Amino acid sequence: MTHPTDPDRLPHRVSEKPFVFDDEDALTPEQERYYMASQWKMMWWRFKKHRIAVWAGAILLVFYLVAALVEVVAPYGLETKNVRFKYAPPQAVHLFHEGSFYGPFVYPYKVTRNLETMTRVFTPDTTKPSQIRFFCWGDKYRFWGLIKGSFHIICPPEKSTMYLLGSDSLGRDMLSRVLYGTRISLTVGLIGITISFLLGISIGGAAGYFGGWVDKSVQRVIEILRSLPELPLWMALSAALPANWSPILVYFGITVILGLLDWPGLARAVRSKLLALREEDFAVAARLMGAPPKHIIGRHLLPNFMSHLIASATLSIPSMILGETALSFLGLGLRPPVTSWGVLLAEAQNINAVALFPWLMIPMVPVIIVVLAFNFLGDGLRDAADPYR
Amino acid sequence: MFAYMIRRLVTMALTLLAISFLVFVIIQLPPGDYVTTQIEEMIAQGTAIDAKRAEFLREEYGLNQPFIYQYATWVWGLVHGDLGYSFEHNLPVADVVGDRLFFTMVLNVATVIFIYAVSFPIGAYSATHQYSWNDHGITFLGLLGLATPNFLLALILMYFANVWFGTSIGGLMDPIYQNQPWSFAKFGSVLAHLWVPVLVIGTSGTAGMIRRLRANLLDELQKQYVDTGRAKGLPEGRLLRKYPLRMALNPFIADIGSLLPQIISGSVIVSFVMSLPTTGPMLLDALQSQDMYLAGSFLMFLALLVVVGMFLSDILLAILDPRIRLEGTVGQ
């Protein structure tokens, strides 16, 4: 069929099918799930792919659970001492006694004195296997200092002792003390990072958003703080804490000190992200609509890189945990009766401890595990922080 | 180049001034002053206190003066090489510290050299053999090095150095050389003792530097000029040495800014554990007894080491990289 008036014109064809608007964009269910997912959900998927980070997260979860439930998990109380068993070496858990299954038990120690060296000698008494009790009543405690109780998941055998990780100079169980240390050591990092996070966001945010002289002076301060060696400064500040403060106050003082010096890194990250983002169209639009700076920063800009911030905050928790350990080790940090891993390690200060009582150095194992776990978790979070990449 | 150096020198001086103010505020922080601590101690011991003597001491040390005046006096003294007076030791600070500052510098410089010497080849190897077993092993060891508190490493290594090599525990030289003038034997003894603290302090820094060099080099190795070089037939080793390594070297040297504070922090605690004749142990004492000028001098000295180190690395970078020389900024 040719055109009625112009025979040279080509004919045109119109599809007879009914017009459906989004027919071509029909998504398979998987695609739909993917495209409709929220940002946090996508980050979670991305994070799950990082196997080591997931494991690290699980390990940290266990550690924090222990920290929350120490009183129930630890076989002994924090201060339970037994003067007969000073510096007892770790006891092994056995399952078989004289070839037959007996359940988990320990051989109790016989204590004799070596009169030449004037030291105690501990020999396992293999004739009397004593069974370890589970879900039992043992040392009394106050749960988080509030609720009285005596229920434990694991208790030493009746009328006997159990030092799975040895005992210290006063005959206190190292395992229980390490477990109690978990609570203090792990919370130091959390409180410290909260302080440094708040400082970093507000100072870095102000510098990045306002620019100009605010930015310049913040930059200078950051440069100066970063060129100072951390530990000596921490030492000087914690030496300045009044000696008559209660251990709890000292604990908060130390966390504040650790947080006070850590913010420059975060502030820098916030600043550079803000500088890049505030020129984006959506930020300009918000400004033109008359939103105040606080609203723009908090509502439009911060959510954009919150995930990055969380990742870098996770990566700086280890340095706080190590910092607390170092300070307590030097005797400038926490003091007994507050028990952290650093306080415990302070007992292993001399070379004799390494030679004679190596189990006093056991608190170093959880330190290493936790620091590594936070590093892996942070790596995984950083990879997951930008799921659109 | 000359203008760049001058500019860097001026910023360095200003930074040091700001740091000195910060340090002075911190050492002034503890409530009371040295004389009050002394008086409290005397009361505790039951000794009668002479109010006149206390007043005399305060006058003598200038503790009655306003804060700014004390600060100005202190800084003025520092500039002229007068480090102030140590209350605890009853001697000028300069006499108390003796060659501790020198040994601190030796220790830290040796550690920096150690870190660069070890981490450069290992990092390069790790990057060129990415995901090989050796690479995984190096990464694992590096992470372990980052996570272990170095004071514990010091304790353990000290023990084994003694058991295996018979190195005497603690100190930087055999006791017989303690008060002798410098000789080759003494120098040898220092070297024989230096390796343990250097190794311990350097561990975490080395681990960090290996990771960074590896990441930098991996970025470079993906670039097109590497393919071009390979396509025109350059042998692998020559290609690596000629281009990507040089590019990766730049941030590697610039990183001394984050490395130095870390090394110095490490050296403080490690020298406490190993009782080395450096600033660490004495700084701890001074802080605990509120011997403010002694503590202040040590803090200033440690900060000075960092700032001067950064200055030197910036100059080195400017020599290596014409972009920095001409634009005056570290391009990263």
Side-chain angles (χ1 to χ4, degrees), chain B residues 78-303:
Chain B
L78 280 187
V79 174
H80 289 85
D82 171 17
L83 302 178
Y85 196 81
S86 162
F87 306 134
E88 177 85 359
H89 299 266
N90 252 324
L91 279 170
V93 169
D95 293 347
V96 178
V97 293
D99 40 8
R100 272 172 197 269
L101 298 186
F102 172 70
F103 277 122
T104 309
M105 214 170 74
V106 168
L107 183 63
N108 285 308
V109 169
T111 311
V112 171
I113 294 172
F114 167 81
I115 288 178
Y116 276 100
V118 170
S119 59
F120 190 72
I122 296 183
Y125 177 86
S126 208
T128 46
H129 298 73
Q130 197 191 5
Y131 300 139
S132 69
W133 278 106
N134 282 339
D135 176 36
H136 285 307
I138 290 166
T139 310
F140 178 73
L141 273 184
L143 281 169
L144 215 59
L146 277 180
T148 315
N150 44 17
F151 52 93
L152 288 172
L153 211 59
L155 271 175
I156 296 169
L157 215 63
M158 213 156 71
Y159 174 68
F160 284 114
N162 185 38
V163 171
W164 291 338
F165 306 105
T167 317
S168 70
I169 289 165
L172 262 186
M173 58 193 92
D174 285 319
I176 47 162
Y177 296 110
Q178 207 85 62
N179 292 317
Q180 281 186 15
W182 283 94
S183 61
F184 273 112
K186 180 171 175 176
F187 184 69
S189 173
V190 169
L191 274 191
H193 283 80
L194 201 58
W195 71 270
V196 181
V198 162
L199 193 65
V200 171
I201 303 166
T203 314
S204 65
T206 311
M209 287 312 255
I210 289 177
R211 277 179 91 180
R212 264 169 257 165
L213 182 70
R214 181 175 176 273
N216 290 339
L217 197 54
L218 280 177
D219 280 351
E220 288 300 324
L221 284 174
Q222 282 167 6
K223 293 202 173 149
Q224 286 187 337
Y225 68 83
V226 181
D227 286 337
T228 313
R230 206 168 277 144
K232 75 171 188 181
L234 272 180
E236 273 305 298
R238 199 174 140 76
L239 170 71
L240 186 71
R241 267 198 318 277
K242 205 85 181 143
Y243 306 107
L245 260 190
R246 294 185 185 196
M247 292 299 291
L249 197 62
N250 204 335
F252 188 64
I253 292 175
D255 255 342
I256 202 162
S258 56
L259 185 67
L260 262 182
Q262 193 190 344
I263 292 177
I264 287 178
S265 288
S267 77
V268 168
I269 191 161
V270 167
S271 43
F272 166 73
V273 173
M274 308 183 74
S275 54
L276 302 181
T278 56
T279 47
M282 211 175 218
L283 171 67
L284 186 69
D285 274 353
L287 284 172
Q288 276 166 342
S289 63
Q290 274 198 41
D291 193 348
M292 55 182 263
Y293 289 124
L294 186 58
S297 306
F298 281 138
L299 288 175
M300 265 324 279
F301 176 71
L302 294 178

Side-chain angles (χ1 to χ4, degrees), chain A residues 337-352:
Chain A
V338 171
T339 306
S340 73
W341 293 331
V343 172
L344 291 177
L345 284 171
E347 286 185 27
Q349 228 170 40
N350 49 11
I351 195 124
N352 282 341

Side-chain angles (χ1 to χ4, degrees), chain A residues 33-293:
Chain A
R33 199 172 81 100
Y34 185 75
Y35 285 125
M36 299 296 164
S38 70
Q39 189 189 359
W40 295 99
K41 206 169 203 170
M42 289 177 65
M43 286 198 293
W44 170 239
W45 291 338
R46 182 87 177 244
F47 178 71
K48 268 201 303 194
K49 278 194 203 150
H50 201 307
R51 296 291 284 281
I52 303 178
V54 176
W55 276 107
I59 288 172
L60 285 178
L61 211 64
V62 171
F63 266 94
Y64 275 97
L65 255 176
V66 167
L69 305 171
V70 175
E71 284 90 346
V72 182
V73 177
Y76 285 97
L78 177 61
E79 297 295 340
T80 311
K81 47 192 101 162
N82 193 335
V83 276
R84 255 168 53 82
F85 293 92
K86 285 177 188 172
Y87 291 125
Q91 270 167 299
V93 177
H94 301 267
L95 286 176
F96 295 92
H97 178 60
E98 288 170 356
S100 57
F101 184 75
Y102 195 81
F105 67 92
V106 291
Y107 289 119
Y109 273 136
K110 254 196 307 209
V111 190
T112 47
R113 266 188 181 280
N114 182 338
L115 289 178
E116 267 170 50
T117 56
M118 292 309 281
T119 48
R120 286 187 172 80
V121 179
F122 295 91
T123 37
D125 182 358
T126 47
T127 57
K128 282 188 261 171
S130 24
Q131 215 147 15
I132 299 170
R133 296 177 295 152
F134 293 96
F135 303 105
C136 42
W137 272 264
D139 282 348
K140 290 193 178 57
Y141 55 79
R142 272 175 174 274
F143 191 66
W144 281 89
L146 299 172
I147 310 161
K148 276 188 191 169
S150 60
F151 176 77
H152 292 259
I153 290 179
I154 177 170
C155 303
E158 266 178 275
K159 292 184 193 118
S160 175
T161 54
M162 174 182 75
Y163 298 116
L164 296 183
L165 297 182
S167 70
D168 69 358
S169 56
L170 294 173
R172 294 174 293 191
D173 178 33
M174 277 306 279
L175 174 64
S176 306
R177 288 175 69 71
V178 169
L179 289 174
Y180 273 91
T182 311
R183 179 173 287 172
I184 302 296
S185 288
L186 289 186
T187 47
V188 162
L190 281 195
I191 300 179
I193 203 69
T194 314
I195 295 170
S196 117
F197 205 72
L198 293 179
L199 281 173
I201 287 185
S202 34
I203 298 176
Y209 190 81
F210 296 114
W213 66 269
V214 182
D215 185 29
K216 283 225 178 72
S217 37
V218 167
Q219 287 277 82
R220 285 295 95 73
V221 172
I222 289 179
E223 255 167 48
I224 290 166
L225 279 181
R226 277 174 84 102
S227 68
L228 282 169
E230 259 182 347
L231 187 72
L233 215 58
W234 278 339
M235 283 164 67
L237 283 173
S238 43
L241 293 179
N244 53 6
W245 276 15
S246 71
I248 292 294
L249 264 181
V250 170
Y251 166 76
F252 282 110
I254 296 287
T255 51
V256 169
I257 288 171
L258 291 176
L260 269 184
L261 291 183
D262 187 72
W263 60 266
L266 273 176
R268 220 173 223 198
V270 173
R271 176 188 164 272
S272 62
K273 291 275 177 202
L274 271 185
L275 278 181
L277 280 177
R278 70 172 185 177
E279 304 304 331
E280 293 273 328
D281 289 344
F282 67 92
V284 177
R287 193 157 57 233
L288 290 179
M289 277 188 258

